[in-house]
Amino acid sequence: MIGTRRWDRDRTGSPWVPSAQTRLDVMQPYWGTPTNVHLIAPNVLTFVDRRVPAWFRVTLDGVRPMRVQMTAAGHFMVDRYVGFNVSAGISPPPSR
């Protein structure tokens, strides 16, 4: 996603199709009402947010998240937070 545009495709090799997307607030976490929070290892928390609904596993680097795993029905993702205060390279997928 770049700005308010995203690209999706049905399968590998099929053309990318642009569509509209609402902006993401990347300064806010994905969860809002965590419950069943457990410290399962040093700097590793797990919890569920029934509002999403999803399960989370957050690895902390001090007070900041270093890695966030989210697992929900039909959807999962892993975010890695590295390179704070460095430029990010963002570009659309290649055209075919």
Side-chain angles (χ1 to χ4, degrees):
M1 185 175 113
I2 300 173
T4 58
R5 177 160 280 201
R6 64 183 276 166
W7 289 266
D8 299 295
R9 61 182 178 178
D10 293 332
R11 62 188 176 285
T12 302
S14 64
W16 290 97
V17 178
S19 60
Q21 171 72 36
T22 57
R23 289 185 181 270
L24 298 175
D25 185 355
V26 296
M27 299 307 292
Q28 297 298 319
Y30 302 118
W31 58 87
T33 53
T35 60
N36 297 341
V37 181
H38 296 279
L39 181 65
I40 62 166
N43 298 323
V44 180
L45 299 170
T46 61
F47 55 89
V48 65
D49 186 339
R50 288 178 175 84
R51 180 185 54 88
V52 174
W55 292 266
F56 292 86
R57 179 183 177 118
V58 179
T59 303
L60 300 170
D61 180 19
V63 296
R64 289 188 243 188
M66 183 170 63
R67 186 169 194 254
V68 177
Q69 294 172 263
M70 182 193 84
T71 305
H75 182 85
F76 64 91
M77 61 189 203
V78 177
D79 291 336
R80 292 173 183 86
Y81 298 89
V82 296
F84 287 101
N85 296 321
V86 297
S87 298
I90 301 174
S91 62
S95 299
R96 291 204 179 239

